[in-house]
Amino acid sequence: MQSYRPPSQNGTLSIVTGTGGLGYEVALALSRAGGRVILAGRNAKTGAGAVAAIAAAAPGADVAFEVLDLASLRSVRDFAARLRGSEQAVDRLINNAGVMSPPRLELTSEGHEVQFGVNYLAHFALTAELLPLLRARPGARVVNVTSLAQHYAKFDIENLRSEKGYHPGRAYCGSKLLQAMFARELQKRSDAAGWGLTSLSAHPGFAGTNLFETGGGMSRFVSTRILLPLLGQSASAGSSPILFAATSPEIDGGALYGPTGFMQMRGAPGPGKYAKIVEDQAVRSDVWRRSEDLAGVRYG
């Protein structure tokens, strides 16, 4: 299956969170298209390896690594401060890095359940911190990488952080639903305030990425050895909807993009459907206010 190829990215700067799996594939494709890319992740050794691999695969690539630990809001602030001090504008922010279903409850530096904190809240804070650089580039895009799991989330406004009665799968689904809500609400607020952003959501379908490594036991075995070969696709193919959302001229602000094949698990990228609750503006506004308080940021 041929992956989506982005148009020329000459003269653009993209920030991609996550150095492996989808993040690596997105950064590689953007680099091959001539764009400048900053990969952001917590492990400097892994990041250096990703940069070296991209440089080898795309000679002349302008790609660099910056330390960003999404399990620490201080690290988010420090990363954004460095960029605000060194860059004039950002064309694309791709909020991709994530954690999936750790078997036991894990917490971020601020005491949030790690999937809520890493997958959602840190990206919410990062986007706010980088808003001046995004607003400096007319038409800048913010892409939140969500999942089909959003459709299976049991939304509870009083348990956004999934800290009560922790369940690995429920917490993951909830974090991905929140990312989808964020993408939809960010577009609404950008339109109302004149920020000039295009906010989008994308999901990779059922893609073979390193997220499965955080799961365990029989579930991981069944997913990677049986279901993935039958129904899924590679990380490279899974990156296509993200790249489409980030670069295609044929997108609608606030929309979701994903694979268009069997059950949206594989295939060429195209429009997808949000979970029904994502379209509830009152719920999104409530989540936004609570998220600003939890992240210690204010948009605008």
Side-chain angles (χ1 to χ4, degrees):
M1 183 184 301
Q2 187 172 2
S3 299
Y4 170 80
R5 292 184 179 180
S8 173
Q9 297 299 297
N10 289 339
T12 66
L13 171 60
S14 298
I15 311 299
V16 182
T17 67
T19 56
L22 295 172
Y24 171 83
E25 296 293 344
V26 168
L28 174 60
L30 293 173
S31 297
R32 281 175 167 161
R36 181 173 162 234
V37 179
I38 295 176
L39 268 174
R42 65 178 180 172
N43 188 304
K45 182 178 180 180
T46 303
V51 168
I54 290 171
D62 190 350
V63 58
F65 171 77
E66 285 279 350
V67 172
L68 169 63
D69 183 357
L70 292 168
S72 164
L73 291 175
R74 172 172 289 184
S75 179
V76 170
R77 291 191 294 271
D78 290 346
F79 170 82
R82 293 198 302 274
L83 260 65
R84 292 195 304 269
S86 63
E87 306 296 339
Q88 298 299 313
V90 170
D91 296 86
R92 316 193 192 293
L93 172 60
I94 300 174
N95 292 324
N96 160 76
V99 179
M100 186 172 78
S101 303
R104 290 171 295 279
L105 177 65
E106 298 179 18
L107 302 177
T108 68
S109 296
E110 291 76 29
H112 302 303
E113 187 276 320
V114 72
Q115 295 176 95
F116 169 84
V118 168
N119 299 356
Y120 169 64
L121 192 66
H123 284 127
F124 182 91
L126 178 62
T127 306
E129 296 282 358
L130 293 180
L131 190 58
L133 295 180
L134 292 162
R135 293 183 63 183
R137 182 72 74 212
R141 296 191 189 185
V142 178
V143 180
N144 274 280
V145 180
T146 183
S147 164
L148 288 170
Q150 66 172 291
H151 294 280
Y152 303 100
K154 296 181 178 180
F155 182 75
D156 181 356
I157 192 67
E158 300 303 331
N159 191 27
L160 281 184
R161 298 182 297 166
S162 301
E163 74 275 20
K164 301 173 185 176
Y166 175 72
H167 181 280
R170 283 198 297 269
Y172 178 73
C173 293
S175 71
K176 289 301 172 179
L177 176 64
L178 290 171
Q179 278 193 285
M181 285 186 177
F182 172 37
R184 193 78 176 85
E185 184 66 12
L186 180 60
Q187 185 65 63
K188 172 184 172 293
R189 290 176 183 252
S190 175
D191 291 344
W195 296 337
L197 303 182
T198 299
S199 175
L200 302 142
S201 204
H203 75 84
F206 186 18
T209 73
N210 54 0
L211 273 183
F212 289 108
E213 297 303 315
T214 57
M218 185 58 68
S219 176
R220 183 175 67 181
F221 177 84
V222 171
S223 294
T224 58
R225 300 296 180 86
I226 299 176
L227 295 181
L228 184 60
L230 289 174
L231 303 174
Q233 58 188 2
S234 66
S236 177
S239 71
S240 287
I242 304 168
L243 289 162
F244 186 88
T247 67
S248 172
E250 301 174 0
I251 52 87
D252 295 313
L256 167 68
Y257 293 90
T260 55
F262 178 71
M263 295 182 68
Q264 302 179 64
M265 290 193 286
R266 63 189 301 168
K273 290 185 178 181
Y274 282 116
K276 185 176 180 180
I277 196 170
V278 172
E279 302 298 346
D280 190 321
Q281 185 175 326
V283 169
R284 292 201 318 261
S285 294
D286 195 359
V287 169
W288 186 282
R289 289 191 296 270
R290 292 174 186 239
S291 298
E292 285 190 325
D293 289 343
L294 290 170
V297 298
R298 289 293 181 269
Y299 276 75

